Amino acid sequence: GDQKINHAIEPMICDNETEEEKAAKLEELMEELNALTGLAAVKSQVNSLINLIRVQKMREENGLKTSDVSKHMVFMGNPGTGKTTVARKLAEIYKYIGVVKTGQLVEVDRSGLVRGYVGQTATRVQEVVEEALGGILFVDEAYTLTVGKGEGDFGQEAVDTLLKAMEDHRQDLIVIVAGYSDLMDQFLESNPGLRSRFSNFIQFEDYTADEMMEIFKKNLQSQDYKLSKEAEEKAAELMKNRVDNKPDNFANARDVRNFMEHAISNQATRIVSLENAAQSKEVLSTIEACDLQDFE
């Protein structure tokens, strides 16, 4: 079918890792999280939460009282602001600080949860929950489960089943619900049980033009491309223009990805028949200003 279920890529689980190896891996994951472009407020909030959990664990080991830290979260923000990326990092970090056992991220949206007949939705949600146990269940565009509740809509059944699962699996299920800020507010208002379950609200801001430019350059670099000086100036101007005049479908890093794919394809068309291209690393790896076209 066309439903969006990205079967989680299971992180390699080696239970025989030494404490030193675990500590090193955790440090590396924290560095990766903090190296993400932009997202200053997100990183600060996530770091605070992780520190709180780590200290509570230490207290527990020393026989001190601990308060139950709620780990379910609401990620609010526009498309392409890094919500899934942060959730995936968080799942692994949680594994290394001992919050969850396996650290996979299972990502679903409405089409992956809601079925067309009475009773099927509950069963479907339970299957997805089973898959997510020991990791994080990430429900994207969660507000679509509660909008337009009319006769014959099973979105509410999905929400009720999920709430029950969160209660039944308190120790080994973490849920992150994500979507546009104002719509997520409506989602939480739709059911008193929801409001009380989610106490961590993390706001993902749109990227600035400079941050979009940084993402563009990082992505190019990761694929062995670079910009000529003129191309860099032109790209910066196009990014600034995009951010200053945001269209309704503005999609942050996703816009950058499309922009990059077009540039790479234009470059290929331009150089494929050049005499010296095949032997020249420089020609093959450089994006010129003429390869850049404005955002679609």
Side-chain angles (χ1 to χ4, degrees), residues 51-291:
N51 293 337
L52 181 60
I53 292 168
R54 291 175 77 179
V55 171
Q56 291 288 340
K57 283 228 166 288
M58 292 174 200
R59 286 175 61 92
E60 192 180 353
E61 283 157 17
N62 283 282
L64 295 167
K65 284 186 178 158
T66 58
S67 54
D68 194 17
V69 182
S70 168
K71 302 173 192 78
H72 305 300
M73 302 186 183
V74 182
F75 282 7
M76 298 162 43
N78 290 328
T81 43
K83 297 188 289 289
T84 311
T85 308
V86 171
R88 193 168 288 127
K89 287 266 175 280
L90 202 54
E92 285 192 85
I93 289 167
Y94 274 175
K95 180 192 134 191
Y96 281 95
I97 56 180
V99 174
V100 297
K101 289 190 184 65
T102 41
Q104 76 279 22
L105 183 80
V106 176
E107 186 185 351
V108 288
D109 60 8
R110 181 190 164 92
S111 64
L113 295 174
V114 175
R115 293 291 175 264
Y117 298 98
V118 176
Q120 285 185 329
T121 295
T123 311
R124 177 66 198 138
V125 173
Q126 281 153 358
E127 288 168 7
V128 170
V129 164
E130 285 298 317
E131 202 183 324
L133 288 181
I136 292 181
L137 176 60
F138 182 84
V139 184
D140 202 11
E141 295 173 10
Y143 51 84
T144 56
L145 293 170
T146 55
V147 296
K149 284 189 290 199
E151 279 304 304
D153 181 78
F154 298 110
Q156 191 57 51
E157 188 184 341
V159 172
D160 296 341
T161 311
L162 189 57
L163 281 172
K164 184 172 182 326
M166 286 164 75
E167 192 54 49
D168 294 346
H169 302 286
R170 291 186 86 123
Q171 293 313 310
D172 47 2
L173 177 67
I174 292 177
V175 178
I176 296 178
V177 290
Y180 295 102
S181 307
D182 46 348
L183 293 169
M184 287 310 288
D185 269 340
Q186 289 170 28
F187 168 71
L188 293 168
E189 290 306 323
S190 72
N191 181 319
L194 282 169
R195 209 21 117 186
S196 61
R197 282 283 171 275
F198 293 96
S199 51
N200 298 304
F201 292 80
I202 300 193
Q203 182 72 49
F204 285 70
E205 299 297 339
D206 280 345
Y207 290 114
T208 63
D210 287 347
E211 286 166 352
M212 297 224 338
M213 194 62 199
E214 188 186 321
I215 291 168
F216 183 44
K217 285 161 78 172
K218 271 186 184 173
N219 288 352
L220 282 173
Q221 196 179 354
S222 72
Q223 296 190 31
D224 283 337
Y225 285 96
K226 59 179 195 286
L227 296 164
S228 70
K229 189 171 177 301
E230 293 77 12
E232 186 161 342
E233 284 165 10
K234 182 175 174 183
E237 193 180 317
L238 291 171
M239 297 282 175
K240 185 176 181 329
N241 203 11
R242 180 73 168 176
V243 168
D244 290 347
N245 309 287
K246 283 182 191 169
D248 287 344
N249 63 347
F250 180 73
N252 289 284
R254 283 179 212 169
D255 283 357
V256 176
R257 207 159 41 236
N258 291 340
F259 182 70
M260 175 168 110
E261 281 163 9
H262 283 126
I264 288 173
S265 131
N266 292 342
Q267 184 241 32
T269 303
R270 175 175 61 81
I271 66 174
V272 70
S273 51
L274 289 179
E275 293 287 309
N276 61 343
Q279 284 76 43
S280 167
K281 243 181 166 169
E282 190 60 24
V283 172
L284 287 167
S285 63
T286 305
I287 301 281
E288 299 289 353
C290 60
D291 301 327

